[in-house]
Amino acid sequence: MAILRKDSVPETEAVSGYPEPWNLGRGFLSYRHITEAGGLTQFGAAVETLLPGKQSSQMHWEEHEDEFLYMLSGELTVVENGEETVIGPGDACCWKAGVPVAHCLRNHGDRPATYLIVGSRVPHNICHYPGLDLLATSEGFTHLDGTPYPTKGETE
């Protein structure tokens, strides 16, 4: 058993892994990867903080992974298939694997928003990004036709 005290898990600045032109850069959110610190492997959980004026990810949905979010502080706008819903502390979101509800989080407020995010760790998952020429697979990011995006340092 691992007891993880408040603030004992280091905070990491997120760096977007999306290929160009979809990359979100850095400085949009930070996270504390709780399950990594605890050595768990079957699901992932992190406490994330999304900064004001920023977006968490590209709009996406997962083929094989469930996702769960629980708001801790602040306020977020959840965008699902173009519909926006504001959530606050105590609110939760569930995105079932295989249901094509594209979603992302936006912080339209003037202060950081913090939430617990949990997802299953399915090695063969495919993540879809509607409206973008982008898929995330276990082999990396590809175009919709399956052509891989170049990895860092490669040219297309």
Side-chain angles (χ1 to χ4, degrees):
M1 175 173 80
I3 305 274
L4 304 172
R5 300 277 183 201
K6 181 180 177 186
D7 297 332
S8 68
V9 177
E11 187 171 28
T12 302
E13 178 187 42
V15 177
S16 174
Y18 296 121
E20 294 300 338
W22 321 116
N23 195 285
L24 298 173
R26 64 180 329 127
F28 57 101
L29 69 81
S30 63
Y31 61 91
R32 296 178 191 273
H33 210 304
I34 305 300
T35 49
E36 290 292 319
L40 302 182
T41 59
Q42 295 181 13
F43 65 93
V47 175
E48 292 184 357
T49 300
L50 185 61
L51 300 177
K54 301 299 181 180
Q55 180 170 310
S56 62
S57 64
Q58 297 293 352
M59 294 287 291
H60 69 283
W61 64 274
E62 311 272 353
E63 254 186 55
H64 303 287
E65 289 193 10
D66 286 338
E67 291 181 277
F68 169 80
L69 176 147
Y70 183 80
M71 280 297 293
L72 300 171
S73 66
E75 187 175 273
L76 287 175
T77 300
V78 179
V79 183
E80 294 178 308
N81 289 344
E83 187 175 320
E84 296 188 356
T85 304
V86 176
I87 62 172
D91 293 337
C93 301
C94 296
W95 295 285
K96 184 174 174 48
V99 177
V101 175
H103 58 276
C104 75
L105 310 172
R106 293 185 181 145
N107 185 343
H108 294 300
D110 59 1
R111 63 185 181 118
T114 301
Y115 49 93
L116 174 68
I117 190 84
V118 179
S120 42
R121 289 184 171 173
V122 179
H124 61 278
N125 186 49
I126 297 173
C127 189
H128 297 261
Y129 300 89
L132 305 181
D133 181 21
L134 184 64
L135 289 174
T137 71
S138 56
E139 289 80 39
F141 289 104
T142 71
H143 294 270
L144 294 177
D145 68 3
T147 306
Y149 275 92
T151 57
K152 220 174 205 176
E154 292 180 350
T155 56
E156 213 169 357

